[in-house]
Amino acid sequence: MTDAVASDTNARLATRSAAFEARLQKRYAAEKRFRFLGLFAVFFSVAVLALLLVNMTVNGIGGFQRAELAVPVDFAEGGIAADPAALARPDALRILETQGLPEILEFYAQESLGEEAAAELSGNAWREVGQDIIANPALLREKTTLWLPASADLAGGYDGEGALEMRALADRLRAEDKLDKRFDFGFLERSDATDPQAAGIWGALKGSMLTMIVTLLLAFPIGVMAALYLEEYAPKNRWTDFIELSINNLAAVPSIIFGLLGLAVFLTLFPGVRSTPIIGGMTLALMTLPVIVISGRNAIKAVPPSIRDGALAVGASPVQVVFHHVLPLALPGILTGTIIGMARALGETAPLLMVGMRLFVSTPPDGFTSPATVLPMQIFLWSDEVDRGFVERTSAAIIVLLLFLLVMNGLAIYLRNKFEKKW
C-alpha cells in the first residue's frame, strides 16, 4: 500500500514538473518573440529614417547647385569707373547699372558663348556681379572668368529636359566646358524668386528664426508660470479641474484651429501687421502653450516631496521653495516639453496659412513686423511648382529645415543637460 501511494505521488510530481517545464518553455518562447519584434521595430524605424534621409539628400544635392555659364570678362577695358566711395553708397547697384554693367556682361557673353547661348544668360546675372564688385571693388581692375547663372530653360536642357534645341545647346556648351552645374552658395543668401536659378532660402529661414523667437518668448514663460501655479498654488476645486481638462483638450486640437483663432483675434487687434513673424509667432505660441504646460506640470510633480519639506524645514519661504529648489530640478523636464512643442511649431503650415504667411517674399524680413514667410511654407509653395528646378530646390529646403531643427533641438538638449541635477 505504501509503495502504491509513493508511486502515485511520484507520478503526480512528474506530471506537475512536466507541466511546469512546458509553461517555462512557452514563456521563454514568448520572451524571444517579444525581443525579436522589438529589434525588428527598431531596425525597421532606422531603415525608414535612413531611406528618408538618403532620398532627401540625393534629391537635395541638385537643389544646392545651379547651371552656370563661364564668361571671361575684362573689367579694365569695360569702361566702368565707379570709385570705392560710390560703391559704398546704398544705390551702388544702380550706379553700376547706369555705367553699363549689364551691357558689358552681354557683350562679353556674346563674344565668348555666341548670341544664342548669351541669350540664355539669367536676367539677374548682372546683379550678382554687381554685388561681387561692391564687396570687392578690385574686380574692376582685373580680367577674370565669371560663372554666371543660366536661364531656367538652359538649366532644364542641362538636365535633359525641355525643348530639343535647348538640350542640344546645353550639350554643346558642356562639351566646350562653358556650362556646368556648380555649388550655389547664394542659395543660402537669397530669397524667393520666380526663376529657380535665382531662388534662395535665406528669406524663409530668417522668417522662421524670427517667428520661433516670438513663439519661445511668449510660450515658454507663460507655460512655465501656468504649470507652477496649477501644481503648486492652485486650490483643488472644480474650477482648476475644468482648467486642467481644457489644457489637456487644447493639446489635441488640430493646428488649423489655432490658425482660425489667430485670424479672429490677432489680426483683428493688429490689422497692420498681417503676414509678419509677430503674428505667426503669437499664433504658434497658442498652439505650443498646452504642450509646455502639461510637460511642465509632470516635471514639477516628479520632484520628490522631501525636497520641499527639507527646504521648508531650514526656513525657506514657499516662494523660495518653488523658485530655488522645485523649478531648477524640474527645468530639464520642462525643457524637454519645450523642445517637443517648438519642434512641432517649426514644421507647421496650417496655422500660418490662416494668418496670411503664404506669400511671395523677395527680400528677407527686416524685423518682427516685416512681411515674411517660413521654411515649411516656402517648401509648400515650391512643391506646387512644375519646374524641375523648383523640385530640386524643395528637397534642398527640406534639408535646411531638418538641419535647423537639429540645431535647435541640439541647443535645447545642451541647456537641458546643463541644468539637470540629481538628488
Side-chain angles (χ1 to χ4, degrees):
M1 184 68 178
T2 304
D3 293 340
V5 172
S7 177
D8 183 59
T9 302
N10 291 334
R12 287 198 299 268
L13 290 175
T15 302
R16 292 177 181 176
S17 178
F20 175 77
E21 289 292 335
R23 290 196 301 270
L24 188 62
Q25 292 300 324
K26 187 177 180 180
R27 187 172 66 185
Y28 286 160
E31 290 178 356
K32 289 181 180 179
R33 287 195 299 271
F34 180 77
R35 187 182 301 112
F36 172 77
L37 290 175
L39 289 175
F40 174 77
V42 171
F43 284 124
F44 180 77
S45 302
V46 172
V48 171
L49 178 61
L51 179 63
L52 173 65
L53 294 178
V54 169
N55 182 56
M56 286 295 99
T57 303
V58 171
N59 293 330
I61 289 176
F64 289 102
Q65 298 175 324
R66 67 175 178 180
E68 295 181 345
L69 290 163
V71 180
V73 179
D74 188 355
F75 286 110
E77 296 181 357
I80 298 180
D83 58 79
L87 295 177
R89 293 168 49 180
D91 60 342
L93 203 59
R94 179 59 60 88
I95 294 175
L96 293 174
E97 182 183 10
T98 56
Q99 293 192 2
L101 179 59
E103 290 76 13
I104 291 173
L105 292 179
E106 182 180 0
F107 168 76
Y108 282 109
Q110 291 179 357
E111 187 178 66
S112 61
L113 304 174
E115 291 187 6
E116 183 183 9
E120 297 303 325
L121 203 62
S122 174
N124 292 317
W126 73 270
R127 297 179 183 274
E128 296 189 14
V129 176
Q131 295 291 348
D132 292 339
I133 292 174
I134 293 171
N136 182 20
L139 286 175
L140 294 176
R141 301 185 298 272
E142 297 178 0
K143 180 178 181 180
T144 184
T145 298
L146 302 175
W147 285 91
L148 305 178
S151 66
D153 293 336
L154 187 58
Y158 183 95
D159 294 326
E161 298 181 351
L164 183 61
E165 59 272 13
M166 198 59 62
R167 282 183 281 173
L169 177 61
D171 291 339
R172 177 177 67 82
L173 292 172
R174 289 180 65 181
E176 298 172 357
D177 294 330
K178 295 179 179 179
L179 176 66
D180 193 13
K181 268 205 165 183
R182 298 163 60 88
F183 188 83
D184 182 18
F185 292 95
F187 176 70
L188 301 175
E189 301 174 353
R190 298 188 300 268
S191 296
D192 198 8
T194 55
D195 182 359
Q197 289 282 96
I201 204 67
W202 172 239
L205 181 59
K206 187 176 181 181
S208 288
M209 292 178 181
L210 295 176
T211 303
M212 288 299 101
I213 289 173
V214 174
T215 302
L216 183 63
L217 291 179
L218 290 176
F220 184 73
I222 295 176
V224 172
M225 292 297 105
L228 284 173
Y229 174 77
L230 290 174
E231 198 61 35
E232 297 291 331
Y233 297 105
K236 302 301 179 183
N237 52 34
R238 293 182 178 180
W239 173 242
T240 54
D241 291 341
F242 174 74
I243 292 176
E244 293 175 7
L245 179 63
S246 300
I247 292 174
N248 292 332
N249 289 334
L250 283 174
V253 168
S255 59
I256 196 170
I257 303 301
F258 292 100
L260 292 172
L261 182 61
L263 177 65
V265 177
F266 297 139
L267 290 183
T268 300
L269 296 176
F270 311 104
V273 289
R274 183 183 179 91
S275 308
T276 59
I278 191 169
I279 293 295
M282 289 191 293
T283 303
L284 293 179
L286 290 177
M287 186 189 70
T288 309
L289 265 174
V291 178
I292 297 178
V293 173
I294 292 172
S295 62
R297 291 193 64 194
N298 291 333
I300 294 168
K301 192 180 299 184
V303 177
S306 58
I307 299 294
R308 299 174 175 84
D309 296 339
L312 291 173
V314 297
S317 67
V319 174
Q320 289 175 327
V321 170
V322 171
F323 287 96
H324 293 179
H325 301 277
V326 176
L327 184 58
L329 292 174
L331 193 57
I334 295 173
L335 289 176
T336 299
T338 304
I339 293 171
I340 297 172
M342 294 298 293
R344 179 189 175 193
L346 179 61
E348 283 293 342
T349 56
L352 302 181
L353 276 171
M354 303 308 300
V355 296
M357 295 192 76
R358 185 187 184 278
L359 72 166
F360 178 85
V361 180
S362 59
T363 56
D366 296 327
F368 295 103
T369 57
S370 301
T373 188
V374 292
L375 277 172
M377 193 64 63
Q378 189 70 77
I379 293 169
F380 170 75
L381 293 173
W382 283 352
S383 65
D384 200 35
E385 299 286 345
V386 296
D387 194 311
R388 176 181 172 84
F390 278 115
V391 174
E392 294 178 339
R393 294 296 196 188
T394 300
S395 298
I398 292 174
I399 294 175
V400 173
L401 177 60
L402 291 176
L403 292 176
F404 185 23
L405 181 62
L406 287 175
V407 170
M408 189 177 72
N409 285 351
L411 178 61
I413 291 172
Y414 167 77
L415 293 176
R416 184 185 67 187
N417 293 336
K418 180 179 178 62
F419 292 112
E420 187 173 9
K421 296 182 180 180
K422 300 184 182 297
W423 58 82

